[in-house]
Amino acid sequence: MRATPSPDALYDDAPCGLLLADADGLLLHANATACAWLGFSLPELAGIVRIQDLMTVGARLFHHTHCEPLLQARGSVAELQIDLRHRDGTRLPMLVNIAHRREGGRTLDQWALFMATERQSYERELRNARRAAEEALEARRGAELQLQALNATLSEADRRKDEFLATLSHELRNPLAPLRSALEVMRHTPLDGSAGARLLSVFDRQLHHLTHLVDDLMEVSRITQDKMELRRESVDLAQLARAAVCDTAGLMEQAGHRLAVELPPHPVTVDADPTRINQVVVNLLTNAAKYTPDGGRIALSLSTGDGMAVLAVRDNGIGLPREALATVFDMFSQLEPALQRSRGGLGIGLSLVRGIVDLHGGTIGVESEGEGRGSCFTVRLPLAQAAARREPVAAPAPALAPARILVVDDNADAAEMLLMALETFGCEVRAAHSASAALAMAQEFAPEVALLDIGLPDLNGYELARRLRATEAGRHMRLIAATGWGQEKDRQRAFDAGFDHHLTKPIDFERLRGVLGSPRLS
């Protein structure tokens, strides 16, 4: 009589693969047939491998979206074709039956695997489609990874650009500081004749304009997002145009251009930031001078109509091709032929002009009949209401009581000029060029006010302010940050360090008068 195989042998040697998994797919047991098909031993599978880990990408997706919902709803699924992977990576097409069972208070999944034979043609097409879906999914994931890497690169480049602009602004501010102080000394020193007064006026106006331009560089991201801060007042656009003509006279003369100016005899009042609008007119005149061959003709005109002030700058220069009319106001836009004629530039001038005009509620347009036939830029700004045409009355500068002031700046020229300017106010002033020297001098000199630069060689100005505040003499001292770092985060950092005020270089002395005459912040 032949021996009957044991139940364990029947289980292990069954003509199908049998698996037992928990609710999360962790394999708890597998028969010998399943282990042989998959290329693993039982100890390598049980309690280590999840059934999903043996599936291809498409099979995992199919199991998640189809099998699991059916198991939850019906308790079993049958004759599903799923591709598993052999240990060596070979695909194993399987027909699968799965049943949910509850034993001992937990849910188990019983799997029966059958090696699939050649199926009907539609099943082959289904497998091909599934394979294509897998490849498309892999390709999509690769594209997403490339997009993420590109986005990270662009974000880093944008951060570096902002860092560069802030640093550039800081480096440009520092040499302006002694110039501003020297101007204040000249203002309080008698000058002979009207020429000296005119020189001071031009010097003062150009220094203010240059300071505003440096602010524009530092906040170029705000400009492109229409977030530029305007200091509006009622201004005569004709007077601003005359000032712009004076500002560009040297450039016109150097190139031999003939500039025709046609301005109305009466004021043309607009509600605008005079420095920004001056920047607009100067940019347009400079642009015309750059892109007009030497000895050219340029015309500036101003008129009114339909409640608008209309300012136009026309030239007989190199002109614009038709395709450039739509992009000439874009950031960093420059015409290739014009680069040979231009005296430099970053290509941001016309973009800034458009941004400034837009913020004032105006428009700017350009016309050109083509290359070599000149161009005409026209700015339209709303006229101010009659009630707004009264000239603002400047508040008198506060009277300053003589005070002991300590100036701390590692730039010796800047410190010396600021010291001389403050002495004209009647103040007693000392200068130090490092934080350690300032701490020693504060004990000896006992200043009432200290103007501190931030970028010092030994300690930064923030740490110096904290150490001064920790001394008995510095507890009630008025601390003023005088620095080239002028972003909002820099102001907040200064206040957090104990400063009472934050001034950006070059220092506006009228504002400094106001700060020195105001009560100390608590």
Side-chain angles (χ1 to χ4, degrees):
M1 185 174 177
R2 301 174 67 180
T4 302
S6 68
D8 288 342
L10 288 174
Y11 172 81
D12 269 338
D13 299 330
C16 62
L18 300 175
L19 304 173
L20 182 65
D22 65 13
D24 294 326
L26 183 66
L27 291 176
L28 304 177
H29 204 279
N31 70 349
T33 304
C35 291
W37 285 352
L38 297 171
F40 293 92
S41 65
L42 181 59
E44 292 174 320
L45 292 176
I48 299 174
V49 178
R50 296 169 66 247
I51 185 65
Q52 294 91 333
D53 298 334
L54 301 173
M55 298 179 187
T56 63
V57 174
R60 285 200 297 270
L61 180 63
F62 182 74
H63 176 261
H64 179 70
T65 58
H66 290 75
C67 294
E68 290 183 353
L70 286 174
L71 284 171
Q72 293 295 330
R74 302 191 317 201
S76 65
V77 293
E79 296 188 353
L80 294 179
Q81 184 163 339
I82 292 180
D83 289 343
L84 301 183
R85 286 192 182 277
H86 188 273
R87 183 174 191 160
D88 62 9
T90 306
R91 256 178 222 274
L92 301 174
M94 296 283 184
L95 286 178
V96 177
N97 295 343
I98 311 173
H100 257 331
R101 296 287 185 271
R102 290 193 60 80
E103 293 184 8
R106 64 174 179 166
T107 300
L108 301 175
D109 287 342
Q110 297 174 337
W111 290 63
L113 311 178
F114 300 88
M115 292 292 289
T117 59
E118 188 68 27
R119 309 293 293 183
Q120 301 295 329
S121 59
Y122 77 90
E123 290 179 323
R124 288 198 299 270
E125 292 297 326
L126 180 61
R127 287 196 297 272
N128 291 338
R130 190 175 299 160
R131 189 177 301 111
E134 285 183 41
E135 293 171 353
L137 182 60
E138 294 288 354
R140 179 180 176 182
R141 286 179 177 173
E144 288 176 347
L145 289 175
Q146 289 181 346
L147 187 60
Q148 290 173 3
L150 178 60
N151 186 59
T153 301
L154 291 174
S155 297
E156 176 65 13
D158 187 66
R159 184 190 65 79
R160 289 177 181 270
K161 178 262 297 179
D162 287 342
E163 262 185 11
F164 163 75
L165 291 175
T167 303
L168 174 63
S169 174
H170 173 260
E171 294 302 319
L172 287 175
R173 283 180 184 276
N174 273 332
L176 291 177
L179 290 177
R180 183 69 194 182
S181 301
L183 174 62
E184 192 66 16
V185 174
M186 293 172 64
R187 180 174 283 120
H188 292 276
T189 302
L191 295 175
D192 296 331
S194 62
R198 290 173 58 193
L199 176 62
L200 281 177
S201 177
V202 172
F203 191 12
D204 191 29
R205 183 173 69 248
Q206 291 306 308
L207 191 56
H208 276 91
H209 292 171
L210 185 56
T211 302
H212 279 290
L213 291 176
V214 173
D215 289 338
D216 287 348
L217 280 174
M218 186 177 61
E219 299 182 4
V220 67
S221 60
R222 293 186 180 180
I223 297 169
T224 57
Q225 298 173 36
D226 292 339
K227 294 182 179 178
M228 180 190 290
E229 179 184 355
L230 297 181
R231 302 173 182 123
R232 289 179 177 266
E233 58 184 80
S234 293
V235 294
D236 180 7
L237 188 54
Q239 187 62 37
L240 291 180
R242 292 187 188 96
V245 169
C246 293
D247 294 341
T248 56
L251 180 60
M252 297 292 177
E253 182 178 355
Q254 182 181 4
H257 295 320
R258 288 168 289 172
L259 176 60
V261 180
E262 185 180 345
L263 303 176
H266 54 79
V268 178
T269 308
V270 293
D271 180 34
D273 183 328
T275 300
R276 301 301 188 189
I277 297 302
N278 179 274
Q279 184 181 351
V280 167
V281 184
V282 168
N283 259 301
L284 293 178
L285 289 173
T286 302
N287 192 71
K290 282 184 177 182
Y291 298 111
T292 299
D294 290 353
R297 297 189 306 274
I298 299 173
L300 170 65
S301 64
L302 177 62
S303 60
T304 59
D306 298 326
M308 304 290 285
V310 183
L311 184 142
V313 175
R314 184 182 298 274
D315 63 65
N316 66 338
I318 65 173
L320 294 166
R322 183 178 299 275
E323 61 272 16
L325 294 176
T327 61
V328 70
F329 294 107
D330 291 347
M331 186 69 79
F332 308 121
S333 175
Q334 285 185 330
L335 300 177
E336 190 65 26
L339 289 174
Q340 302 170 3
R341 305 169 189 261
S342 172
R343 296 179 176 87
L346 298 174
I348 65 174
L350 290 178
S351 178
L352 292 180
V353 165
R354 181 177 62 178
I356 292 170
V357 171
D358 287 347
L359 287 177
H360 283 84
T363 61
I364 183 170
V366 59
E367 296 176 350
S368 178
E369 296 181 3
E371 294 185 61
R373 306 189 66 178
S375 56
C376 180
F377 290 83
T378 304
V379 174
R380 289 178 170 82
L381 294 172
L383 291 171
Q385 299 296 324
R389 297 187 182 182
R390 293 188 297 270
E391 292 295 326
V393 179
L400 294 180
R404 292 187 307 279
I405 300 179
L406 173 62
V407 174
V408 184
D409 197 319
D410 61 333
N411 185 326
D413 288 338
E416 180 65 20
M417 288 298 99
L418 185 54
L419 185 146
M420 291 175 64
L422 290 170
E423 284 178 342
T424 66
F425 294 169
C427 300
E428 183 182 355
V429 191
R430 301 277 182 87
H433 304 306
S434 67
S436 56
L439 288 169
M441 192 172 292
Q443 296 299 319
E444 171 195 347
F445 181 48
E448 301 164 83
V449 180
L451 281 86
L452 310 182
D453 186 25
I454 297 301
L456 297 171
D458 43 1
L459 298 175
N460 64 49
Y462 305 122
E463 182 60 28
L464 175 57
R466 294 188 186 96
R467 296 196 182 187
L468 284 173
R469 285 285 185 234
T471 66
E472 183 63 29
R475 192 168 303 163
H476 303 292
M477 191 184 303
R478 185 192 300 269
L479 298 183
I480 303 172
T483 173
W485 301 104
Q487 294 183 318
E488 183 58 36
K489 64 180 181 181
D490 303 315
R491 292 172 54 82
Q492 189 56 52
R493 189 176 179 188
F495 295 142
D496 292 343
F499 282 98
D500 298 297
H501 303 280
H502 181 279
L503 301 179
T504 53
K505 296 178 180 178
I507 292 175
D508 184 330
F509 279 87
E510 292 308 311
R511 187 177 176 197
L512 179 58
R513 285 177 182 272
V515 167
L516 294 176
S518 64
R520 179 181 175 275
L521 297 178
S522 57

